[in-house]
């Protein structure tokens, strides 16, 4: 064990903290544009405890491997995954989407992917990285995939269809049941990107919100990506790609002769067990009931935000499907700049001429009450109100 020179340690931490103080932090309540949160306290503790583990060499850490299996079992249950399924731990939505497209390409030996304008930009990386060709469809007036247009694009060269369950910009959900029927009839791989919505939609359904089915109950769904570092309330980096058939993993496996397992699937080699332990700890602490309560309170704040915005005379791009609100503005870029000067971190979506608010669990009605006057002032300053 390396001994610590206390004087040096103090100096280094003084420097680190001086940099950290420049960062925005979730606890301030002023970050309204991020899909991440301050991790649950339980996650923080578990993360530190598992810092030295490497799930890339599972024989060295059979205990952590077991945690990973139990965590995947939780996700399987949440998404109604069949017994034939398997989960692949990934670093987040981007790696989940890459891994899904890698499987689709390997299984089909085809290259074209149907998606719509609301797909996350990670699919552009995928197209470039894997030499795949995206067919991007314009959205319906509800900001979801247009099924009629989608059907017209189906042909022999299609490797996969992407359905978004909780879009990055507006939180909308593509018509996954219809996509599932079509893909199942046509034998096309259907990947559902639920990086954000995976920890929201199951609970919205329980809370009687009118949202479509999106998970493995639909027979055409091949893979689903779901992130713990978004609405899973855990630490970065952690997502899961749930795969309907475990044996599909063979298509993205290579022999790994000099480590403890014969084959390794997926993109990463060495990978930390810390975010897995953290995410598992949070699922155990909150359980389905805890997540449901969290989603319920996020939606209460979302509905309150909608009301306050409308009182201000602003309109929303669309009635929020989940805890994401798009506020229509003529000059979103200028408003974001003004809000930033007032200490608020909000994102603009130029394409939709709006700003996007993500009402994560740390955002309370009291914070919204502080935000609304700042937004009003910003709007007045740029002549929007
Ligand atoms: N799929 C969807 C639907 C997403 O919204 C995102 C990320 C991804 C995939 C990719 O996930 P990773 O970034 O985990 O690889 N959406 C957020 C966004 O682009 C990511 C984010 C999160 C950005 C927090 C900023 C931030 O502060 O807005």
């Amino acid at each position: 064990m390396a001994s610590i020179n206390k004087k040096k340690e103090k100096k280094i931490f003084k420097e680190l903290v001086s940099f950290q103080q420049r960062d925005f932090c979730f606890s301030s309540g002023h970050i309204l544009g991020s899909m991440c949160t301050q991790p649950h306290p339980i996650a923080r503790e578990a993360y530190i405890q598992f810092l030295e583990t490497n799930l890339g060499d599972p024989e060295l850490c059979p205990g952590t491997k077991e945690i990973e299996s139990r965590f995947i079992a939780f996700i399987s249950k949440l998404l109604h995954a069949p017994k034939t399924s398997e989960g692949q731990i990934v670093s987040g939505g981007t790696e989940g989407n890459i891994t899904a497209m890698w499987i689709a390409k390997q299984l089909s030996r085809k290259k074209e992917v149907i998606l719509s304008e609301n797909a996350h930009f990670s699919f552009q990386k995928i197209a470039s990285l894997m030499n795949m060709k995206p067919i991007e469809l314009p959205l319906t007036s509800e900001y979801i995939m247009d099924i009629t247009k989608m059907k017209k694009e189906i042909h022999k060269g299609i490797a996969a269809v992407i359905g978004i369950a909780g879009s990055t910009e507006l939180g909308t959900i593509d018509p996954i049941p219809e996509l599932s029927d079509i893909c199942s009839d046509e034998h096309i791989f259907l990947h559902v990107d639920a990086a954000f919505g995976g920890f929201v939609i199951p609970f919205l359904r329980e809370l009687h919100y009118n949202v479509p089915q999106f998970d493995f109950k639909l027979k055409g769904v091949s893979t689903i990506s779901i992130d713990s570092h978004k609405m899973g309330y855990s630490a970065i980096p952690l997502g899961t790609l749930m795969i309907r058939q475990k044996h599909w993993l063979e298509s993205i496996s290579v022999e790994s002769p000099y480590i403890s397992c014969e084959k390794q699937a997926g993109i990463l080699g060495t990978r930390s067990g810390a975010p897995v332990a953290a995410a598992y700890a949070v699922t155990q602490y909150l359980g389905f009931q805890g997540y449901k309560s969290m989603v319920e309170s996020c939606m209460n704040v979302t509905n309150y935000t909608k009301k306050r915005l409308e009182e201000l005379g602003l309109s929303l791009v669309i009635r929020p499907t989940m805890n994401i609100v798009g506020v229509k503005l003529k000059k979103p870029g200028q408003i974001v700049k003004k809000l930033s000067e007032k200490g608020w971190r909000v994102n603009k979506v130029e394409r939709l001429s709006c700003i996007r608010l993500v009402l994560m669990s740390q955002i309370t009605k009291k914070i919204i009450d502080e935000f609304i006057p700042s937004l009003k002032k910003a709007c007045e300053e740029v002549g929007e109100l």
Side-chain angles (χ1 to χ4, degrees):
M1 182 79 169
S3 66
I4 298 287
N5 175 327
K6 285 284 169 199
K7 216 169 140 200
K8 260 190 175 173
E9 185 193 20
K10 219 172 145 194
K11 187 165 169 263
I12 292 165
F13 274 90
K14 201 171 161 216
E15 188 194 7
L16 290 180
V17 169
S18 76
F19 284 117
Q20 194 176 34
Q21 279 165 349
R22 286 163 51 184
D23 294 351
F24 288 87
C25 58
F26 290 112
S27 59
S28 71
H30 279 218
I31 304 178
L32 279 167
S34 173
M35 288 185 158
C36 298
T37 46
Q38 188 178 34
H40 192 285
I42 291 281
R44 185 181 294 267
E45 219 175 303
Y47 200 104
I48 295 167
Q49 202 161 331
F50 283 79
L51 214 50
E52 71 171 48
T53 57
N54 172 18
L55 282 164
D57 197 356
E59 211 168 72
L60 288 186
C61 47
T64 310
K65 183 74 194 150
E66 177 62 24
I67 294 172
E68 184 181 65
S69 303
R70 290 185 183 205
F71 172 69
I72 290 170
F74 180 94
I75 300 290
S76 302
K77 200 164 166 210
L78 179 67
L79 301 178
H80 302 105
K83 283 205 171 66
T84 55
S85 69
E86 183 56 288
Q88 175 81 359
I89 295 296
V90 288
S91 54
T94 302
E95 193 189 333
N97 288 340
I98 295 175
T99 309
M101 288 306 96
W102 188 9
I103 295 173
K105 194 177 179 199
Q106 293 289 90
L107 296 179
S108 68
R109 300 281 160 196
K110 293 169 187 170
K111 285 188 179 174
E112 289 181 56
V113 178
I114 300 177
L115 40 71
S116 50
E117 274 172 1
N118 60 356
H120 186 254
F121 57 76
S122 50
F123 289 99
Q124 290 174 34
K125 298 184 186 180
I126 292 166
S128 164
L129 192 67
M130 299 206 285
N131 190 25
M132 293 183 91
K133 187 179 162 228
I135 302 171
E136 197 178 281
L137 305 176
L139 300 169
T140 65
S141 57
E142 310 234 86
Y143 298 90
I144 55 173
M145 185 181 274
D146 187 323
I147 292 290
T148 317
K149 291 201 173 90
M150 178 261 174
K151 278 186 190 161
K152 286 189 187 143
E153 294 296 343
I154 291 179
H155 63 85
K156 283 203 165 62
I158 303 297
V161 171
I162 314 298
I164 311 293
S167 67
T168 312
E169 291 160 341
L170 295 173
T172 52
I173 308 170
D174 282 338
I176 313 288
E178 287 84 343
L179 292 181
S180 164
D181 287 345
I182 299 164
C183 289
S184 147
D185 289 349
E186 302 281 346
H187 304 288
I188 297 176
F189 194 97
L190 172 60
H191 171 58
V192 176
D193 180 352
F196 186 82
F199 273 103
V200 185
I201 302 166
F203 307 109
L204 286 179
R205 287 177 66 82
E206 279 190 27
L207 292 162
H208 308 294
Y209 279 83
N210 183 20
V211 286
Q213 183 60 266
F214 77 110
D215 67 19
F216 290 102
K217 273 194 177 161
L218 303 170
K219 66 179 193 300
V221 170
S222 308
T223 47
I224 303 178
S225 53
I226 169 172
D227 283 357
S228 294
H229 67 215
K230 296 190 171 75
M231 283 295 283
Y233 210 169
S234 195
I236 300 169
L238 201 86
T240 306
L241 178 71
M242 278 310 302
I243 302 160
R244 181 176 284 276
Q245 299 292 346
K246 183 178 177 160
H247 66 89
W248 291 348
L249 272 173
E250 285 161 26
S251 70
I252 58 158
S253 294
V254 295
E255 281 176 20
S256 45
Y258 38 82
I259 60 168
S260 56
C261 51
E262 273 173 33
K263 282 189 159 189
Q264 190 177 77
I267 296 167
L268 298 185
T270 300
R271 61 184 175 90
S272 175
V276 179
Y280 176 69
V282 180
T283 58
Q284 293 313 291
Y285 190 82
L286 292 179
F288 289 149
Q289 201 51 44
Y291 281 112
K292 183 176 162 187
S293 304
M294 189 178 82
V295 168
E296 187 173 23
S297 69
C298 288
M299 289 310 291
N300 286 340
V301 175
T302 303
N303 294 329
Y304 180 71
T305 307
K306 176 178 179 286
K307 185 176 135 250
R308 294 295 317 263
L309 290 164
E310 286 169 351
E311 280 168 6
L312 213 59
L314 294 170
S315 47
L316 308 191
V317 178
I318 188 169
R319 190 166 167 266
T321 310
M322 51 185 74
N323 47 332
I324 300 180
V325 175
V327 190
K328 257 196 227 168
L329 292 164
K330 287 187 205 77
K331 303 167 202 161
Q334 286 185 41
I335 299 282
V336 165
K337 214 166 149 231
K338 288 283 176 198
L339 284 171
S340 161
E341 287 162 16
K342 298 178 200 318
W344 297 96
R345 309 303 301 175
V346 174
N347 293 94
K348 63 177 189 294
V349 187
E350 293 283 5
R351 192 173 65 82
L352 301 174
S353 195
C354 72
I355 59 169
R356 179 196 69 163
L357 308 178
V358 189
L359 289 317
M360 299 298 287
S361 58
Q362 78 275 12
I363 309 299
T364 57
K365 289 184 184 173
K366 191 167 164 275
I367 292 172
I368 296 303
D369 286 340
E370 288 166 25
F371 173 70
I372 293 289
S374 295
L375 178 61
K376 183 168 186 272
K377 194 132 196 287
C379 287
E380 284 165 355
E381 282 165 6
V382 306
E384 287 258 7
L385 277 177

